[in-house]
PDB file of all heavy atoms in Angstrom:
ATOM      1  N   VAL A 214       6.157  13.404 -25.325  1.00  0.00           N
ATOM      2  CA  VAL A 214       5.400  14.612 -25.211  1.00  0.00           C
ATOM      3  C   VAL A 214       4.639  14.791 -26.409  1.00  0.00           C
ATOM      4  O   VAL A 214       5.077  15.257 -27.528  1.00  0.00           O
ATOM      5  CB  VAL A 214       6.338  15.827 -25.020  1.00  0.00           C
ATOM      6  CG1 VAL A 214       5.465  17.089 -25.033  1.00  0.00           C
ATOM      7  CG2 VAL A 214       7.063  15.736 -23.725  1.00  0.00           C
ATOM      8  N   PRO A 215       3.377  14.160 -26.510  1.00  0.00           N
ATOM      9  CA  PRO A 215       2.570  14.173 -27.736  1.00  0.00           C
ATOM     10  C   PRO A 215       2.033  15.593 -28.174  1.00  0.00           C
ATOM     11  O   PRO A 215       1.647  15.795 -29.249  1.00  0.00           O
ATOM     12  CB  PRO A 215       1.404  13.232 -27.403  1.00  0.00           C
ATOM     13  CG  PRO A 215       1.272  13.219 -25.881  1.00  0.00           C
ATOM     14  CD  PRO A 215       2.683  13.429 -25.452  1.00  0.00           C
ATOM     15  N   SER A 216       1.893  16.493 -27.147  1.00  0.00           N
ATOM     16  CA  SER A 216       1.415  17.844 -27.492  1.00  0.00           C
ATOM     17  C   SER A 216       1.935  18.816 -26.488  1.00  0.00           C
ATOM     18  O   SER A 216       2.322  18.476 -25.360  1.00  0.00           O
ATOM     19  CB  SER A 216      -0.116  17.865 -27.424  1.00  0.00           C
ATOM     20  OG  SER A 216      -0.557  17.604 -26.042  1.00  0.00           O
ATOM     21  N   ALA A 217       2.202  20.061 -27.086  1.00  0.00           N
ATOM     22  CA  ALA A 217       2.667  21.145 -26.142  1.00  0.00           C
ATOM     23  C   ALA A 217       2.321  22.479 -26.727  1.00  0.00           C
ATOM     24  O   ALA A 217       2.314  22.657 -27.912  1.00  0.00           O
ATOM     25  CB  ALA A 217       4.162  20.971 -25.970  1.00  0.00           C
ATOM     26  N   GLU A 218       1.848  23.475 -25.882  1.00  0.00           N
ATOM     27  CA  GLU A 218       1.375  24.755 -26.356  1.00  0.00           C
ATOM     28  C   GLU A 218       1.673  25.849 -25.355  1.00  0.00           C
ATOM     29  O   GLU A 218       1.489  25.549 -24.110  1.00  0.00           O
ATOM     30  CB  GLU A 218      -0.040  24.674 -26.714  1.00  0.00           C
ATOM     31  CG  GLU A 218      -0.671  25.845 -27.217  1.00  0.00           C
ATOM     32  CD  GLU A 218      -2.145  25.786 -27.531  1.00  0.00           C
ATOM     33  OE1 GLU A 218      -2.816  24.706 -27.080  1.00  0.00           O
ATOM     34  OE2 GLU A 218      -2.705  26.723 -28.091  1.00  0.00           O
ATOM     35  N   ASP A 219       2.193  26.936 -25.806  1.00  0.00           N
ATOM     36  CA  ASP A 219       2.255  28.090 -24.936  1.00  0.00           C
ATOM     37  C   ASP A 219       1.139  29.106 -25.203  1.00  0.00           C
ATOM     38  O   ASP A 219       0.639  29.222 -26.367  1.00  0.00           O
ATOM     39  CB  ASP A 219       3.591  28.762 -25.219  1.00  0.00           C
ATOM     40  CG  ASP A 219       4.759  28.139 -24.529  1.00  0.00           C
ATOM     41  OD1 ASP A 219       4.581  27.581 -23.497  1.00  0.00           O
ATOM     42  OD2 ASP A 219       5.935  28.267 -25.055  1.00  0.00           O
ATOM     43  N   TYR A 220       0.633  29.711 -24.183  1.00  0.00           N
ATOM     44  CA  TYR A 220      -0.300  30.826 -24.392  1.00  0.00           C
ATOM     45  C   TYR A 220       0.481  32.102 -24.143  1.00  0.00           C
ATOM     46  O   TYR A 220       1.105  32.299 -23.170  1.00  0.00           O
ATOM     47  CB  TYR A 220      -1.428  30.646 -23.328  1.00  0.00           C
ATOM     48  CG  TYR A 220      -2.246  29.349 -23.540  1.00  0.00           C
ATOM     49  CD1 TYR A 220      -1.809  28.160 -22.807  1.00  0.00           C
ATOM     50  CD2 TYR A 220      -3.290  29.220 -24.359  1.00  0.00           C
ATOM     51  CE1 TYR A 220      -2.497  26.978 -23.008  1.00  0.00           C
ATOM     52  CE2 TYR A 220      -3.970  28.035 -24.634  1.00  0.00           C
ATOM     53  CZ  TYR A 220      -3.592  26.910 -23.838  1.00  0.00           C
ATOM     54  OH  TYR A 220      -4.268  25.694 -24.091  1.00  0.00           O
ATOM     55  N   VAL A 221       0.338  33.053 -25.040  1.00  0.00           N
ATOM     56  CA  VAL A 221       1.006  34.321 -24.942  1.00  0.00           C
ATOM     57  C   VAL A 221       0.167  35.551 -25.031  1.00  0.00           C
ATOM     58  O   VAL A 221      -0.989  35.449 -25.447  1.00  0.00           O
ATOM     59  CB  VAL A 221       2.005  34.299 -26.216  1.00  0.00           C
ATOM     60  CG1 VAL A 221       3.095  33.205 -26.081  1.00  0.00           C
ATOM     61  CG2 VAL A 221       1.313  34.373 -27.578  1.00  0.00           C
ATOM     62  N   THR A 222       0.772  36.658 -24.609  1.00  0.00           N
ATOM     63  CA  THR A 222       0.062  37.957 -24.786  1.00  0.00           C
ATOM     64  C   THR A 222       1.166  38.910 -25.122  1.00  0.00           C
ATOM     65  O   THR A 222       2.304  38.702 -24.899  1.00  0.00           O
ATOM     66  CB  THR A 222      -0.587  38.378 -23.382  1.00  0.00           C
ATOM     67  OG1 THR A 222      -1.369  39.483 -23.611  1.00  0.00           O
ATOM     68  CG2 THR A 222       0.465  38.616 -22.265  1.00  0.00           C
ATOM     69  N   GLU A 223       0.708  40.073 -25.679  1.00  0.00           N
ATOM     70  CA  GLU A 223       1.651  41.108 -26.124  1.00  0.00           C
ATOM     71  C   GLU A 223       1.875  42.070 -24.832  1.00  0.00           C
ATOM     72  O   GLU A 223       0.900  42.519 -24.278  1.00  0.00           O
ATOM     73  CB  GLU A 223       1.221  41.764 -27.358  1.00  0.00           C
ATOM     74  CG  GLU A 223       1.424  40.967 -28.570  1.00  0.00           C
ATOM     75  CD  GLU A 223       1.312  41.814 -29.920  1.00  0.00           C
ATOM     76  OE1 GLU A 223       1.205  43.000 -29.712  1.00  0.00           O
ATOM     77  OE2 GLU A 223       1.376  41.179 -30.903  1.00  0.00           O
ATOM     78  N   TYR A 224       3.061  42.400 -24.682  1.00  0.00           N
ATOM     79  CA  TYR A 224       3.370  43.431 -23.719  1.00  0.00           C
ATOM     80  C   TYR A 224       4.589  44.296 -24.086  1.00  0.00           C
ATOM     81  O   TYR A 224       5.617  43.742 -24.403  1.00  0.00           O
ATOM     82  CB  TYR A 224       3.698  42.722 -22.327  1.00  0.00           C
ATOM     83  CG  TYR A 224       4.153  43.700 -21.253  1.00  0.00           C
ATOM     84  CD1 TYR A 224       3.196  44.450 -20.516  1.00  0.00           C
ATOM     85  CD2 TYR A 224       5.471  43.927 -20.826  1.00  0.00           C
ATOM     86  CE1 TYR A 224       3.470  45.329 -19.604  1.00  0.00           C
ATOM     87  CE2 TYR A 224       5.785  44.717 -19.842  1.00  0.00           C
ATOM     88  CZ  TYR A 224       4.909  45.551 -19.177  1.00  0.00           C
ATOM     89  OH  TYR A 224       5.215  46.367 -18.213  1.00  0.00           O
ATOM     90  N   GLU A 225       4.316  45.522 -24.241  1.00  0.00           N
ATOM     91  CA  GLU A 225       5.397  46.493 -24.754  1.00  0.00           C
ATOM     92  C   GLU A 225       5.958  46.020 -26.029  1.00  0.00           C
ATOM     93  O   GLU A 225       7.171  46.077 -26.206  1.00  0.00           O
ATOM     94  CB  GLU A 225       6.364  46.737 -23.594  1.00  0.00           C
ATOM     95  CG  GLU A 225       5.839  47.340 -22.335  1.00  0.00           C
ATOM     96  CD  GLU A 225       6.933  47.740 -21.373  1.00  0.00           C
ATOM     97  OE1 GLU A 225       8.045  47.209 -21.554  1.00  0.00           O
ATOM     98  OE2 GLU A 225       6.592  48.332 -20.442  1.00  0.00           O
ATOM     99  N   GLY A 226       5.174  45.563 -26.901  1.00  0.00           N
ATOM    100  CA  GLY A 226       5.604  45.199 -28.260  1.00  0.00           C
ATOM    101  C   GLY A 226       6.241  43.842 -28.424  1.00  0.00           C
ATOM    102  O   GLY A 226       6.726  43.555 -29.445  1.00  0.00           O
ATOM    103  N   ARG A 227       6.260  43.041 -27.394  1.00  0.00           N
ATOM    104  CA  ARG A 227       6.747  41.707 -27.488  1.00  0.00           C
ATOM    105  C   ARG A 227       5.851  40.678 -26.943  1.00  0.00           C
ATOM    106  O   ARG A 227       5.028  40.972 -25.993  1.00  0.00           O
ATOM    107  CB  ARG A 227       8.184  41.663 -26.868  1.00  0.00           C
ATOM    108  CG  ARG A 227       8.159  41.873 -25.395  1.00  0.00           C
ATOM    109  CD  ARG A 227       9.610  42.040 -24.931  1.00  0.00           C
ATOM    110  NE  ARG A 227       9.651  42.332 -23.452  1.00  0.00           N
ATOM    111  CZ  ARG A 227       9.935  41.337 -22.525  1.00  0.00           C
ATOM    112  NH1 ARG A 227      10.044  40.095 -22.961  1.00  0.00           N
ATOM    113  NH2 ARG A 227       9.999  41.681 -21.331  1.00  0.00           N
ATOM    114  N   GLU A 228       5.973  39.419 -27.286  1.00  0.00           N
ATOM    115  CA  GLU A 228       5.047  38.355 -26.797  1.00  0.00           C
ATOM    116  C   GLU A 228       5.631  37.752 -25.475  1.00  0.00           C
ATOM    117  O   GLU A 228       6.913  37.504 -25.403  1.00  0.00           O
ATOM    118  CB  GLU A 228       5.008  37.212 -27.897  1.00  0.00           C
ATOM    119  CG  GLU A 228       4.177  37.604 -29.001  1.00  0.00           C
ATOM    120  CD  GLU A 228       3.819  36.455 -29.878  1.00  0.00           C
ATOM    121  OE1 GLU A 228       4.654  35.459 -29.799  1.00  0.00           O
ATOM    122  OE2 GLU A 228       2.903  36.487 -30.721  1.00  0.00           O
ATOM    123  N   ILE A 229       4.773  37.605 -24.466  1.00  0.00           N
ATOM    124  CA  ILE A 229       5.124  37.105 -23.189  1.00  0.00           C
ATOM    125  C   ILE A 229       4.309  35.892 -22.980  1.00  0.00           C
ATOM    126  O   ILE A 229       3.146  35.849 -23.168  1.00  0.00           O
ATOM    127  CB  ILE A 229       4.843  38.160 -22.053  1.00  0.00           C
ATOM    128  CG1 ILE A 229       5.702  39.432 -22.275  1.00  0.00           C
ATOM    129  CG2 ILE A 229       5.177  37.521 -20.661  1.00  0.00           C
ATOM    130  CD1 ILE A 229       7.080  39.251 -22.217  1.00  0.00           C
ATOM    131  N   VAL A 230       5.000  34.758 -22.607  1.00  0.00           N
ATOM    132  CA  VAL A 230       4.271  33.507 -22.180  1.00  0.00           C
ATOM    133  C   VAL A 230       3.600  33.744 -20.942  1.00  0.00           C
ATOM    134  O   VAL A 230       4.132  34.091 -19.957  1.00  0.00           O
ATOM    135  CB  VAL A 230       5.286  32.428 -22.116  1.00  0.00           C
ATOM    136  CG1 VAL A 230       4.554  31.104 -21.775  1.00  0.00           C
ATOM    137  CG2 VAL A 230       5.977  32.088 -23.433  1.00  0.00           C
ATOM    138  N   THR A 231       2.244  33.424 -20.923  1.00  0.00           N
ATOM    139  CA  THR A 231       1.450  33.560 -19.729  1.00  0.00           C
ATOM    140  C   THR A 231       1.237  32.123 -19.147  1.00  0.00           C
ATOM    141  O   THR A 231       1.008  32.058 -17.907  1.00  0.00           O
ATOM    142  CB  THR A 231       0.156  34.178 -19.935  1.00  0.00           C
ATOM    143  OG1 THR A 231      -0.579  33.438 -21.070  1.00  0.00           O
ATOM    144  CG2 THR A 231       0.505  35.646 -20.385  1.00  0.00           C
ATOM    145  N   ALA A 232       1.221  31.184 -19.955  1.00  0.00           N
ATOM    146  CA  ALA A 232       0.888  29.771 -19.431  1.00  0.00           C
ATOM    147  C   ALA A 232       1.362  28.758 -20.468  1.00  0.00           C
ATOM    148  O   ALA A 232       1.529  29.064 -21.714  1.00  0.00           O
ATOM    149  CB  ALA A 232      -0.523  29.534 -19.141  1.00  0.00           C
ATOM    150  N   SER A 233       1.589  27.518 -20.003  1.00  0.00           N
ATOM    151  CA  SER A 233       1.950  26.453 -20.875  1.00  0.00           C
ATOM    152  C   SER A 233       1.102  25.227 -20.496  1.00  0.00           C
ATOM    153  O   SER A 233       0.613  25.030 -19.387  1.00  0.00           O
ATOM    154  CB  SER A 233       3.392  26.009 -20.723  1.00  0.00           C
ATOM    155  OG  SER A 233       4.336  27.064 -20.908  1.00  0.00           O
ATOM    156  N   ARG A 234       0.759  24.501 -21.582  1.00  0.00           N
ATOM    157  CA  ARG A 234      -0.005  23.148 -21.424  1.00  0.00           C
ATOM    158  C   ARG A 234       0.823  22.177 -22.168  1.00  0.00           C
ATOM    159  O   ARG A 234       0.918  22.222 -23.382  1.00  0.00           O
ATOM    160  CB  ARG A 234      -1.447  23.362 -21.971  1.00  0.00           C
ATOM    161  CG  ARG A 234      -2.342  22.120 -21.783  1.00  0.00           C
ATOM    162  CD  ARG A 234      -3.634  22.292 -22.465  1.00  0.00           C
ATOM    163  NE  ARG A 234      -4.465  21.212 -22.248  1.00  0.00           N
ATOM    164  CZ  ARG A 234      -5.323  21.037 -21.174  1.00  0.00           C
ATOM    165  NH1 ARG A 234      -5.407  21.967 -20.295  1.00  0.00           N
ATOM    166  NH2 ARG A 234      -6.055  20.021 -21.072  1.00  0.00           N
ATOM    167  N   VAL A 235       1.298  21.176 -21.450  1.00  0.00           N
ATOM    168  CA  VAL A 235       2.150  20.164 -22.020  1.00  0.00           C
ATOM    169  C   VAL A 235       1.580  18.797 -21.802  1.00  0.00           C
ATOM    170  O   VAL A 235       1.401  18.353 -20.575  1.00  0.00           O
ATOM    171  CB  VAL A 235       3.597  20.198 -21.470  1.00  0.00           C
ATOM    172  CG1 VAL A 235       4.482  19.125 -22.102  1.00  0.00           C
ATOM    173  CG2 VAL A 235       4.207  21.581 -21.663  1.00  0.00           C
ATOM    174  N   GLY A 236       1.215  18.028 -22.850  1.00  0.00           N
ATOM    175  CA  GLY A 236       0.698  16.689 -22.721  1.00  0.00           C
ATOM    176  C   GLY A 236       1.961  15.705 -22.569  1.00  0.00           C
ATOM    177  O   GLY A 236       2.950  15.779 -23.348  1.00  0.00           O
TER     178      GLY A 236
END
Side-chain angles (χ1 to χ4, degrees):
V214 175
S216 63
E218 181 181 8
D219 280 333
Y220 300 91
V221 299
T222 188
E223 286 196 6
Y224 178 74
E225 295 183 351
R227 62 191 182 95
E228 288 188 339
I229 301 295
V230 175
T231 58
S233 300
R234 183 183 182 90
V235 181

